Amino acid sequence: MNNKRTWIDKLSDFISGKGFYLVVLVCVAAIALSGWYLVQGVRGGLEDTLDQPVSGSAAIADRPSAQPTPRPAAKPSDPPAAASARLETAPSAAPSVQPAPTPTPAPAPLVFTWPVKGEIVAGFSVEALAYNQTMGDWRTHNGLDIAADRGAQVLAAAAGTVSALYQDDLMGTVVEIDHGQGLVSQYANLAATPTVEVGDAVDTGTIIGSVGGTAALESGLASHIHYALLKEGYPVDPADYLPQR
């Protein structure tokens, strides 16, 4: 029997005995040494990196501004056709009832009468000159000179309101009556004291005074009353308003 052992057998015995622990110890040492070198390498790399200056420009990207969120368009409550149909079928507002205006009553027609009963001694003449016996010249005459005895009653030719009473240097005592409708009558050459006052309302035929002799301009004529009629301030022929005799 051959007792010669090979190196493989010896190595196997060694590993099976105390060599096993030695191999484990060597492995652990190798692992520890490898780990130490690994840690040192990492630390050195970090130090080199920290020592290097930072280069390059930092670019700050513009942050896009917030865009307003578009609001959805309001949905119409009704389609145009429906809205138009509703407007056409909607009942119209009833018109308010306005009270009928009260008609203004037409003024009562004026009834004229002659202020005195007598003959016309001088007629109306504003377009042609008439001879004045007192002054001895030719001039216009804006009324009628109606003959009447001195002291005879003088009547209002139509209804109205006494608007003026005064003494005129040429025509003597004068009474004016406003008949409305733009008409004013004048009575001159009256006695000094008429029987009416300003503001008195008179009717057709109301006594307003008496025939006098106060008109210096017509003192050359026989006793009379001077009667004139103005429309809108302009003289008109009284004969066009007085009744026919």
Side-chain angles (χ1 to χ4, degrees):
M1 180 174 181
N2 188 7
N3 293 327
K4 189 177 179 179
R5 302 179 64 193
T6 62
W7 65 273
I8 296 173
D9 294 332
K10 294 179 181 180
L11 179 60
S12 176
D13 292 339
F14 176 77
I15 292 173
S16 300
K18 297 180 180 180
F20 173 76
Y21 297 102
L22 182 60
V23 171
V24 172
L25 180 62
V26 172
C27 291
V28 171
I31 293 172
L33 184 60
S34 298
W36 182 82
Y37 277 108
L38 180 62
V39 171
Q40 291 299 321
V42 173
R43 179 181 297 176
L46 290 175
E47 291 178 354
D48 292 341
T49 303
L50 294 174
D51 291 339
Q52 292 180 0
V54 179
S55 61
S57 59
I60 300 176
D62 292 336
R63 183 178 180 182
S65 59
Q67 297 296 328
T69 304
R71 299 180 61 185
K75 183 180 179 181
S77 57
D78 290 317
S84 176
R86 189 174 70 249
L87 290 177
E88 292 177 358
T89 58
S92 59
S96 59
V97 178
Q98 298 293 335
T102 303
T104 303
L110 293 172
V111 178
F112 282 84
T113 188
W114 288 80
V116 292
K117 296 182 183 294
E119 297 296 327
I120 297 176
V121 295
F124 175 81
S125 179
V126 294
E127 296 180 357
L129 297 178
Y131 183 74
N132 184 286
Q133 296 181 4
T134 303
M135 304 302 294
D137 59 10
W138 295 83
R139 62 182 61 204
T140 59
H141 192 245
N142 70 342
L144 300 177
D145 288 341
I146 307 171
D149 294 335
R150 184 170 294 192
Q153 293 179 339
V154 179
L155 311 179
T161 303
V162 178
S163 56
L165 194 161
Y166 55 93
Q167 295 292 328
D168 185 83
D169 293 339
L170 295 179
M171 299 305 296
T173 303
V174 179
V175 170
E176 293 185 359
I177 299 176
D178 187 350
H179 304 289
Q181 304 179 38
L183 290 173
V184 176
S185 59
Q186 294 178 335
Y187 310 81
N189 199 33
L190 295 173
T193 306
T195 57
V196 292
E197 296 180 353
V198 174
D200 287 351
V202 296
D203 293 324
T204 302
T206 298
I207 299 173
I208 61 172
S210 59
V211 177
T214 56
L217 184 63
E218 298 180 347
S219 60
L221 297 176
S223 179
H224 69 280
I225 187 74
H226 178 89
Y227 173 61
L229 189 62
L230 307 178
K231 184 174 180 62
E232 306 296 345
Y234 295 94
V236 293
D237 191 349
D240 294 336
Y241 293 82
L242 296 173
Q244 295 292 328
R245 290 184 174 179

